[in-house]
Amino acid sequence: MLVLANEFQEYLKFSNYINGDHILIQEKVQELEKLAVDKIDFIRRAYHFVRDEIAHSWDIKDKIVTVTASQVLKEGAGICYAKSNLLAALLRAASIPVGICYQRLTLGDTPESGYCVHALNAVYIAELNKWVRMDARGNKGNVHAEFSIDKEILAFNIRPEYDEKDYPNLYAEPLPDLMAVLENSDDAIDMYLHHLPEKI
């Protein structure tokens, strides 16, 4: 994984999309911190909250489009681009460095279904001095991601023979082109089917 920013500080900053200073984010962080026994447990709880309590828009066929972390938290739904903003905001608000990384996946089971760019997070585990990728997309059927600091258990295994790939860069901010897709859409289902970028 190629960490692009020169300093961890870049992976702690709040922004328009990763708005960890929003009151809703701050309140959720306080709630999670009261339950957590340490930093790793906080990361686990934040991850499970975004994975399990925030629905993926496609899975529930919800047309609402969310973009910023606070919007996702308020509405309780978003696609992976938006959910990764929320997980980043929750962790950064607790002073835990986290970035966003991407995969290129087929939309369906085969290349004929087309491709999309998928977003997930990488979190710095200070106790282990390493970055760990985590995918809070949300589990369903054959999609099964887990919290693990020992090995990656992601939602999607890359199939190079189908021209799927893990992009190596770890970004401090979500890519502008991907955020523009969200900002310029008013129907999440139509967006998911017809307007997701195929590559970065």
Side-chain angles (χ1 to χ4, degrees), residues 2-119:
L2 182 59
V3 179
L4 292 184
N6 293 327
E7 301 177 2
F8 280 163
Q9 202 62 33
E10 294 298 312
Y11 296 99
L12 287 167
K13 286 182 178 178
F14 299 147
S15 66
N16 181 47
Y17 301 115
I18 303 175
N19 57 338
D21 51 349
H22 191 282
I23 184 62
L24 292 179
I25 302 293
Q26 293 286 321
E27 288 174 350
K28 176 53 68 174
V29 167
Q30 291 173 13
E31 176 186 323
L32 294 170
E33 284 180 332
K34 288 178 181 177
L35 299 171
V37 297
D38 55 28
K39 281 287 188 182
I40 290 179
D41 188 46
F42 176 86
I43 296 170
R44 180 183 65 81
R45 289 178 182 275
Y47 167 81
H48 282 152
F49 171 74
V50 179
R51 187 194 69 179
D52 300 338
E53 303 300 325
I54 304 296
H56 190 287
S57 302
W58 174 256
D59 294 350
I60 62 171
K61 300 299 185 285
D62 190 338
K63 292 185 176 183
I64 192 167
V65 179
T66 52
V67 186
T68 69
S70 59
Q71 288 173 340
V72 180
L73 182 56
K74 180 181 178 181
E75 299 296 339
I79 71 164
C80 60
Y81 302 166
K83 292 186 70 170
S84 63
N85 287 343
L86 175 56
L87 183 57
L90 292 171
L91 296 181
R92 289 183 185 186
S95 300
I96 297 168
V98 55
I100 297 174
C101 41
Y102 298 96
Q103 296 175 322
R104 183 182 196 239
L105 305 171
T106 59
L107 270 173
D109 292 329
T110 65
E112 289 73 27
S113 63
Y115 291 89
C116 67
V117 175
H118 174 62

